[in-house]
Amino acid sequence: MEQIKNVVYGEYCIDFTKGGVVYNANDGFYEISGYTKQDVEDGVVNFFNFVPDEYREQYDALVNEAVKNDKPALIQHPFIKKNGTVIYVLCLGCIKKNSNGERGWVIITDHTEHMNLISKYNSSITELDSLTSIVPGGVVIFSVDENDLTVFKSNDEFLNMLGISGDITGKSFSEYISQESFSVLHKRICISVSENEPVNFEFKVRTEKDYKWFRLYGNIYKYSYGKPLFYSVILDITEDIHLNNELLMQAEKFRIIADSSEELFFDYDVDTDRLKLSTNLCRYCLDYDNCVDYYWRDECPKEFVHPKDYERYKSEWQKMLEAPMRGSLEFRTKAYDDDYTWYNMSYVSFQNEHGRISKVFGKIVSIQHLKSLKKKIDKDSEYITYLLETDSLTGLLNRKAFKKKAGQAIMAMEKEYVYGVVYTDINDFSYVNDNFGYEAGNRMLRDFAKLLRDTPTNILGCRLYSDYFIGLYRARTREELLKSIEVRNMNFTNLQKENYPASDIRVSCGIFIIPDRESDITVAIDNANLARRSVKSNSSIICGIYSQRMRMQRAYEQSICSELHSAIANRNIEMFLQPKFHMVERTIIGAEALARWRNLDGSYKMPYEFIPVLEKVGYIDELDFFIYEEVLKTLEQWKKDGVTLVPISVNFSQHHILQSGFVESIVETANKYDVDKSLVEIEITESSFSGDTQALFSDMERLRSYGFKISIDDFGIGYSTLGLLMKAPVDIVKIDKSFIDNIEYSKLDRDFVANLCRLVDTAKKDVIFEGVETDKQANILSASGYSKAQGWLFDKAIPLDKFNKKYMY
């Protein structure tokens, strides 16, 4: 109340009808404003001079609002005194209109000191915000008294560390941590305040799951309302505590391992030049205890490191003491007795906070047994290499080693020599194995390997597998090179003639002349093999020579293979149908599906031009199934169109038939179409019977169980016997064209065909003849009681659209 009595307030009246002239005021006004009573009486004091221009608009708005509401206005604003000084005043005023005009009444009091206090407070708050924002970690300012720590200011990081949400300014910190933790914290801060000294200590706080550890750095900041403000930076050191505990545990583990291990651990202190060794050193007969003082000053290593290794040992230490690094070193040292033993030292050097190497830690392990083993391995390396690179039976190189060494030799070819790769196999080698035993076969392989090595022109020799050999040869001329191969082959034949007088064992071989150093060894081997295969059936040719013709044939085969997929996709592969006829009635009874490959010019490749190539590389499967699906589509279309259906036969390669899943593929494909399976005749060539007939017969039985018809194609020229024919689960036997070519002119041929057909009849199979070309042939066959045939007499294979027009619609 005493303070209120001492407040100076001024009162003045304004006449707005006279431009805002102050016409009356009290002493308080004169004291606050600096104006005098005489100034008022002289009419020089004006209301509109009290407010600075920059505040005028805001001030007028507040006054107008008060007039509008017909209420007094309480306004805090800057006020210009008579001498021009600006102070802050708090004013209460009102404006009234009456018969005397528009007049105002205002009471003011000096508010400047209060505004300065507010400014100073805001400045302090800004300063605190700045301090809490630039310091890493959590920041909190406590207001300290003897019983409590009240939060005066804190940053978000502090709240996050302790898991506190919301503003806790003005609240006791004891509400947010356990009483135990608060007591420790309060006690240490109070001691710091009383001694006016900075403080640095650790404390822990219990969380929901565990304890968290913090480190506090703090000091008195200033006093507020008589209480000290304690500025604190708090860091979460929980992870550091965990790591330190982990290090202590690791150190203990390390100590246990070091004490019980054959390995020797060491710790070198650079400042003291002391090498500390693990306590198991007692097992080593060195004249030191587990600490070696002045390790390098006294050149202690000279006493136990081998003289030839000492400089290298010392140099390695110099490097590790110059910069932090990790490394290892092998050296010989004395242990147990006066003999030197090989050890490996692994080490790591560390630098201190000044960037200087201060510590080296390491491990020393005996590697004498490894050195002994390495010495033995080095001694045996040539033999090991020999085992890895050679064929155990013949001593020649294996394929991998030959390709590597031959490739290197080709890259180093000398211009004055002719080089060639020769690919050889022994004809009828299986005859020797089957009749004289495998040891005789092995002896023959060793004989050829010796002749290959002894050939003067031979550089490298290799046994690929079984009786297949390759070699790299070199001679001054092409003729000399070929002559040496001829002599080698003849010597081998003569040697085997001595061993097996009743035999005629020869070899087939092919040669590829290396054109230049860029030649690829794999291509060279393939070309030599191609040349060998070209003369395999001709014993009069000693050695086939790879030629342009073979290259062209190979290129042609490659083009066939590369074009097949696009030819199928673009329908350049077409299905032709050759009708099957009743020879007497001359009516169509079926058809055979055949593949034709249309060229860009409209001409066609004949089957013999591409089918053997596709069979050779394994692409025949795709062709077989393409034609098979065309047959199914055709039968389905005929059924939809309501024409009289006839069965269609489709050929499958032996390569395809012998694959697992063949039957499933046939059935699954047929199930995609609305086709009676009995109208599909699966043709299997007689050559397919040369393999596993049990598996083949099983597949044929399964196909018949699904409704398919099975026929043997080209019967009589392959591998069938009457026994196989009797057992084979087939429905139709197609007699090959070669048997009826001469029946018009040869009674012997007619009798043979008649007997052959009687055998087929005995097996209860239907018969159809292939390649019937004349009426006389047809009449002879018909007279013998057979009615079914196909051949050019009736029609050749024609495109599907022509077949439909001619026979179906």
Side-chain angles (χ1 to χ4, degrees):
M1 291 298 292
E2 188 63 32
Q3 290 177 339
I4 294 175
K5 290 180 181 180
N6 293 332
V7 173
V8 177
Y9 65 92
E11 185 175 347
Y12 63 95
C13 300
I14 314 151
D15 189 346
F16 287 105
T17 58
K18 294 182 178 182
V21 173
V22 175
Y23 65 88
N24 192 15
N26 69 355
D27 291 340
F29 171 77
Y30 299 137
E31 182 180 344
I32 293 171
S33 68
Y35 289 99
T36 66
K37 186 175 182 181
Q38 188 62 47
D39 292 331
V40 174
E41 292 175 353
D42 292 343
V44 297
V45 183
N46 192 292
F47 169 78
F48 294 107
N49 293 332
F50 295 158
V51 179
D53 292 341
E54 61 270 20
Y55 192 73
R56 169 66 59 188
E57 184 177 348
Q58 183 180 352
Y59 182 82
D60 290 347
L62 292 171
V63 171
N64 292 333
E65 182 68 22
V67 172
K68 179 180 178 181
N69 295 326
D70 194 24
K71 291 181 180 180
L74 180 64
I75 303 172
Q76 177 182 285
H77 65 86
F79 183 92
I80 303 174
K81 296 174 66 173
K82 180 180 179 181
N83 62 4
T85 304
V86 178
I87 64 172
Y88 281 88
V89 298
L90 185 65
C91 73
L92 177 67
C94 63
I95 299 174
K96 296 293 183 180
K97 293 181 181 180
N98 53 32
S99 57
N100 295 324
E102 188 175 25
R103 296 191 175 187
W105 169 78
V106 178
I107 299 174
I108 64 172
T109 183
D110 189 343
H111 202 56
T112 303
E113 183 178 352
H114 176 73
M115 292 300 292
N116 289 338
L117 287 172
I118 290 175
S119 177
K120 190 173 182 180
Y121 174 79
N122 289 335
S123 177
S124 296
I125 293 299
T126 301
E127 181 182 353
L128 287 174
D129 288 340
S130 177
L131 284 171
T132 58
S133 65
I134 64 174
V135 175
V139 177
V140 60
I141 299 174
F142 293 116
S143 175
V144 184
D145 62 35
E146 61 182 9
N147 296 316
D148 203 359
L149 297 175
T150 303
V151 178
F152 183 78
K153 185 73 176 177
S154 64
N155 66 358
D156 292 340
E157 182 67 19
F158 171 75
L159 299 176
N160 292 336
M161 279 183 181
L162 294 170
I164 300 172
S165 59
D167 186 12
I168 64 172
T169 301
K171 296 181 180 180
S172 173
F173 193 53
S174 63
E175 299 178 21
Y176 300 97
I177 60 175
S178 68
Q179 187 59 44
E180 178 187 1
S181 299
F182 179 80
S183 296
V184 173
L185 190 64
H186 182 255
K187 180 179 179 181
R188 296 297 298 270
I189 290 176
C190 285
I191 293 172
S192 174
V193 170
S194 65
E195 296 177 354
N196 196 21
E197 290 289 338
V199 70
N200 170 5
F201 64 91
E202 295 176 1
F203 67 97
K204 62 181 179 180
V205 174
R206 177 180 289 279
T207 63
E208 291 183 4
K209 296 182 179 179
D210 205 345
Y211 281 103
K212 292 187 74 172
W213 281 90
F214 299 95
R215 178 171 290 279
L216 181 145
Y217 301 87
N219 202 356
I220 294 177
Y221 172 57
K222 60 174 66 174
Y223 283 81
S224 175
Y225 299 104
K227 291 185 179 182
L229 295 181
F230 190 81
Y231 182 89
S232 310
V233 176
I234 296 179
L235 300 176
D236 186 342
I237 60 169
T238 306
E239 187 65 26
D240 296 336
I241 294 293
H242 290 330
L243 289 175
N244 186 58
N245 290 337
E246 186 69 25
L247 285 173
L248 291 174
M249 287 191 294
Q250 292 295 338
E252 286 301 317
K253 291 178 184 177
F254 176 81
R255 188 173 292 109
I256 292 172
I257 292 170
D259 290 344
S260 60
S261 173
E262 292 295 328
E263 299 168 338
L264 181 64
F265 296 89
F266 68 87
D267 174 353
Y268 176 73
D269 185 276
V270 177
D271 292 333
T272 61
D273 192 18
R274 167 180 280 198
L275 185 77
K276 186 176 181 181
L277 299 148
S278 53
T279 54
N280 63 353
L281 180 64
C282 59
R283 290 195 291 271
Y284 298 85
C285 298
L286 297 174
D287 296 329
Y288 299 103
D289 57 17
N290 67 324
C291 287
V292 183
D293 291 319
Y294 307 116
Y295 184 69
W296 282 110
R297 189 197 72 175
D298 296 343
E299 294 189 317
C300 297
K302 273 191 173 181
E303 296 185 33
F304 53 85
V305 175
H306 194 287
K308 291 184 178 180
D309 297 335
Y310 178 74
E311 289 303 323
R312 191 160 49 84
Y313 181 85
K314 182 178 180 180
S315 174
E316 192 74 16
W317 270 90
Q318 288 172 342
K319 287 192 295 183
M320 71 176 82
L321 295 177
E322 289 173 357
M325 63 182 295
R326 183 187 297 272
S328 64
L329 173 70
E330 294 181 358
F331 64 98
R332 286 163 289 182
T333 185
K334 290 181 181 179
Y336 300 103
D337 51 36
D338 290 336
D339 292 336
Y340 285 101
T341 303
W342 278 100
Y343 281 83
N344 177 272
M345 177 180 69
S346 302
Y347 63 85
V348 57
S349 57
F350 296 93
Q351 63 183 11
N352 58 21
E353 65 274 15
H354 305 297
R356 188 169 57 83
I357 299 301
S358 60
K359 290 280 187 180
V360 178
F361 300 102
K363 177 181 70 174
I364 301 174
V365 184
S366 173
I367 57 170
Q368 184 63 42
H369 63 294
L370 295 177
K371 285 290 185 179
S372 300
L373 181 60
K374 184 177 184 302
K375 186 176 181 181
K376 185 178 186 303
I377 290 174
D378 290 342
K379 184 178 179 181
D380 297 340
S381 62
E382 185 176 345
Y383 181 65
I384 293 172
T385 301
Y386 173 81
L387 293 177
L388 291 173
E389 294 185 345
T390 57
D391 170 55
S392 59
L393 177 64
T394 63
L396 296 176
L397 294 173
N398 57 30
R399 178 194 292 267
K400 183 178 180 180
F402 176 83
K403 290 178 70 173
K404 178 182 177 181
K405 295 188 176 184
Q408 294 169 346
I410 290 172
M411 292 178 65
M413 276 172 42
E414 300 175 56
K415 293 182 179 179
E416 59 270 26
Y417 286 94
V418 176
Y419 289 75
V421 172
V422 179
Y423 199 118
T424 309
D425 79 297
I426 301 172
N427 296 336
D428 301 319
F429 178 70
S430 59
Y431 169 83
V432 177
N433 277 335
D434 294 343
N435 291 278
F436 299 98
Y438 286 103
E439 182 51 41
N442 289 343
R443 186 166 56 250
M444 182 179 290
L445 295 174
R446 287 192 289 267
D447 288 343
F448 185 81
K450 183 176 185 305
L451 286 171
L452 187 153
R453 274 192 298 265
D454 293 343
T455 302
T457 56
N458 179 257
I459 302 174
L460 298 167
C462 165
R463 178 185 174 221
L464 289 172
Y465 61 94
S466 185
D467 60 315
Y468 292 88
F469 297 81
I470 51 176
L472 180 65
Y473 295 79
R474 181 184 72 174
R476 292 283 179 180
T477 64
R478 177 187 175 103
E479 290 71 23
E480 180 188 351
L481 183 58
L482 293 173
K483 184 64 178 177
S484 70
I485 301 302
E486 180 180 351
V487 171
R488 182 203 69 175
N489 294 352
M490 291 303 298
N491 287 342
F492 177 76
T493 299
N494 293 336
L495 177 62
Q496 300 315 311
K497 195 72 174 175
E498 293 176 9
N499 295 334
Y500 310 101
S503 69
D504 185 22
I505 305 295
R506 298 175 181 270
V507 297
S508 296
C509 69
I511 184 170
F512 173 72
I513 304 299
I514 308 294
D516 52 51
R517 292 182 177 181
E518 304 301 320
S519 299
D520 181 83
I521 183 60
T522 302
V523 174
I525 293 171
D526 289 345
N527 289 345
N529 188 31
L530 198 62
R532 176 193 65 85
R533 292 208 305 263
S534 71
V535 298
K536 178 70 176 173
S537 59
N538 191 341
S539 60
S540 64
I541 301 177
I542 298 297
C543 183
I545 303 173
Y546 186 80
S547 65
Q548 181 65 27
R549 175 186 60 79
M550 295 177 191
R551 187 177 294 109
M552 292 173 63
Q553 176 63 24
R554 186 174 184 180
Y556 174 76
E557 292 177 357
Q558 290 175 340
S559 70
I560 289 293
C561 295
S562 63
E563 294 171 9
L564 175 66
H565 296 95
S566 60
I568 290 176
N570 298 328
R571 304 198 68 80
N572 291 328
I573 301 287
E574 297 180 14
M575 180 187 72
F576 277 39
L577 294 178
Q578 183 176 27
K580 299 176 184 178
F581 268 77
H582 190 288
M583 287 186 286
V584 177
E585 299 175 1
R586 299 296 172 97
T587 56
I588 186 170
I589 58 172
E592 179 179 3
L594 301 168
R596 295 293 185 267
W597 189 324
R598 187 177 70 256
N599 298 314
L600 295 178
D601 61 3
S603 62
Y604 285 90
K605 291 182 181 72
M606 298 306 291
Y608 64 81
E609 295 182 85
F610 60 91
I611 287 179
V613 175
L614 297 178
E615 287 182 328
K616 178 179 174 182
V617 298
Y619 283 12
I620 191 66
D621 300 357
E622 297 177 50
L623 178 66
D624 284 352
F625 257 88
F626 173 74
I627 296 299
Y628 175 49
E629 284 215 58
E630 292 295 295
V631 168
L632 295 171
K633 291 175 184 177
T634 299
L635 289 169
E636 185 179 60
Q637 189 61 49
W638 286 350
K639 183 177 180 179
K640 288 179 181 178
D641 294 342
V643 301
T644 301
L645 300 178
V646 295
I648 303 177
S649 61
V650 58
N651 294 278
F652 283 93
S653 163
Q654 178 182 0
H655 177 272
H656 207 156
I657 293 169
L658 298 178
Q659 288 186 4
S660 62
F662 171 69
V663 173
E664 288 75 11
S665 298
I666 292 291
V667 174
E668 287 174 8
T669 304
N671 287 340
K672 294 190 295 185
Y673 299 91
D674 183 16
V675 170
D676 183 350
K677 294 182 180 66
S678 65
L679 295 172
V680 181
E681 184 181 315
I682 307 297
E683 287 197 10
I684 298 174
T685 57
E686 191 184 12
S687 60
S688 300
F689 289 77
S690 62
D692 184 358
T693 55
Q694 185 175 356
L696 177 63
F697 286 1
S698 175
D699 285 350
M700 293 164 69
E701 284 283 14
R702 290 173 63 200
L703 287 170
R704 293 180 77 197
S705 70
Y706 284 108
F708 295 98
K709 299 293 185 183
I710 308 295
S711 67
I712 300 178
D713 195 17
D714 302 329
F715 180 75
I717 64 171
Y719 300 85
S720 295
T721 64
L722 180 58
L724 280 177
L725 181 64
M726 295 294 289
K727 297 176 184 177
V730 299
D731 302 286
I732 302 161
V733 176
K734 299 183 74 174
I735 306 298
D736 188 72
K737 174 182 181 299
S738 61
F739 291 107
I740 64 171
D741 281 344
N742 295 316
I743 59 174
E744 296 177 56
Y745 317 107
S746 170
K747 183 178 184 305
L748 183 63
D749 282 3
R750 289 195 295 273
D751 291 343
F752 180 84
V753 170
N755 289 328
L756 180 64
C757 290
R758 276 195 290 273
L759 290 175
V760 175
D761 290 340
T762 303
K764 301 187 184 320
K765 318 294 183 189
D766 202 359
V767 175
I768 185 169
F769 292 92
E770 295 181 291
V772 177
E773 297 180 350
T774 66
D775 283 321
K776 194 168 184 180
Q777 288 175 336
N779 293 334
I780 292 171
L781 295 173
S782 298
S784 300
Y786 300 99
S787 60
K788 299 175 182 178
Q790 67 184 87
W792 281 29
L793 171 63
F794 310 107
D795 207 343
K796 61 182 180 180
I798 56 178
L800 176 61
D801 57 342
K802 291 184 179 180
F803 186 92
N804 282 336
K805 291 177 182 178
K806 195 170 183 178
Y807 298 109
M808 304 304 296
Y809 294 91

